[in-house]
């Protein structure tokens, strides 16, 4: 998408978008504000990304350095724990707050929902599906286990529920415990 920009410049733009999202939220975020903050033209932003939803989705994707598709330790538990090991507590807290803020915007702006699904959500679901498929092929999980269809829901639920129920941010320790206590047992691994 950002073909004519250097990776460094695109990264600066993405960081500015995320900063503005945290400060003002999706509805108040404007391409003018992004252009001003990044000392670029609005025309450049539209030429590179086409729309505000696409720019926001690409910024969020850029901000997510851990990709499930890259993880293959040889065991399901190892894969999940490698995912946790690659996370950063401070970044997880910021990302959780950002995603909570975008939840309402997704409902109000179908074009944002579409962009997030295409750029961020579907690639992660594809990576998770591959991780789970390898576990089935290794015999760690039965292929007919009904929980396979709900792993993504369990993981997303952990992020949402921690803040809602305990008023505490998501962190690596909680996520690792949650995987061992909830996700793996649901898949047939009684840790």
């Amino acid at each position: 998408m950002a073909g004519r920009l250097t990776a460094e410049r695109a990264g600066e733009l993405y960081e500015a978008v995320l900063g503005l999202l945290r400060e003002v939220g999706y509805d108040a975020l404007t391409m003018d504000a992004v252009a001003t903050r990044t000392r670029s033209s609005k025309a450049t932003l539209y030429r590179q990304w086409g729309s505000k939803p696409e720019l926001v989705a690409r910024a969020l994707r850029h901000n997510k350095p851990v990709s499930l598709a890259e993880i293959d330790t040889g065991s399901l538990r190892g894969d999940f724990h490698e995912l946790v090991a690659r996370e950063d507590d401070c970044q997880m807290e910021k990302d959780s707050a950002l995603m909570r803020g975008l939840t309402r915007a997704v409902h109000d702006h179908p074009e944002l929902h579409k962009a997030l699904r295409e750029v961020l959500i579907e690639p992660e679901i594809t990576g998770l599906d591959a991780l789970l498929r390898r576990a089935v092929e290794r015999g760690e999980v039965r292929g007919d286990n009904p929980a396979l269809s709900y792993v993504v829901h369990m993981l997303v639920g952990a992020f949402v529920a921690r803040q809602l129920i305990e008023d505490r941010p998501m962190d690596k320790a909680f996520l690792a415990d949650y995987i061992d206590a909830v996700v793996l047992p649901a898949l047939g691994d009684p840790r």
Side-chain angles (χ1 to χ4, degrees), residues 66-119:
V66 178
S67 172
L68 287 169
E70 300 170 0
I71 298 174
D72 186 359
T73 66
S75 77
L76 182 59
R77 184 171 192 274
D79 289 350
F80 278 131
H81 282 273
E82 178 62 21
L83 170 67
V84 172
R86 292 184 185 190
E87 292 288 353
D88 173 84
D89 283 342
C90 292
Q91 191 62 45
M92 284 174 59
E93 184 174 350
K94 284 194 231 174
D95 291 348
S96 292
L98 192 58
M99 294 312 287
R100 282 192 309 276
L102 284 174
T103 300
R104 178 68 190 176
V106 165
H107 292 289
D108 293 341
H109 302 280
E111 68 282 359
L112 174 62
H113 186 229
K114 181 179 184 283
L116 288 174
R117 283 204 56 81
E118 290 173 1
V119 174

Side-chain angles (χ1 to χ4, degrees), residues 43-188:
T44 298
L45 298 175
Y46 279 108
R47 186 172 46 253
Q48 294 296 314
W49 289 282
S51 68
K52 178 172 112 172
E54 183 73 17
L55 177 56
V56 168
R58 295 279 171 197
L60 289 166
R61 176 82 237 162
H62 175 79
N63 190 49
K64 187 166 182 0
V66 178
S67 172
L68 287 169
E70 300 170 0
I71 298 174
D72 186 359
T73 66
S75 77
L76 182 59
R77 184 171 192 274
D79 289 350
F80 278 131
H81 282 273
E82 178 62 21
L83 170 67
V84 172
R86 292 184 185 190
E87 292 288 353
D88 173 84
D89 283 342
C90 292
Q91 191 62 45
M92 284 174 59
E93 184 174 350
K94 284 194 231 174
D95 291 348
S96 292
L98 192 58
M99 294 312 287
R100 282 192 309 276
L102 284 174
T103 300
R104 178 68 190 176
V106 165
H107 292 289
D108 293 341
H109 302 280
E111 68 282 359
L112 174 62
H113 186 229
K114 181 179 184 283
L116 288 174
R117 283 204 56 81
E118 290 173 1
V119 174
L120 190 64
I121 298 166
E122 288 175 8
E124 288 305 305
I125 289 173
T126 300
L128 180 61
D129 287 347
L131 184 144
L132 294 170
R133 189 173 42 257
R134 288 191 304 268
V136 168
E137 290 168 358
R138 288 189 301 259
E140 294 176 274
V141 178
R142 284 187 2 253
D144 63 349
N145 183 320
L148 283 168
S149 299
Y150 297 104
V151 173
V152 69
H153 301 87
M154 286 186 267
L155 293 172
V156 170
F159 278 86
V160 174
R162 179 93 193 267
Q163 187 72 42
L164 182 66
I165 294 169
E166 299 177 34
D167 195 25
R168 294 175 59 196
M170 176 61 73
D171 59 32
K172 290 168 61 166
F174 177 85
L175 187 54
D177 288 346
Y178 181 85
I179 287 167
D180 285 342
V182 177
V183 178
L184 291 172
L187 293 172

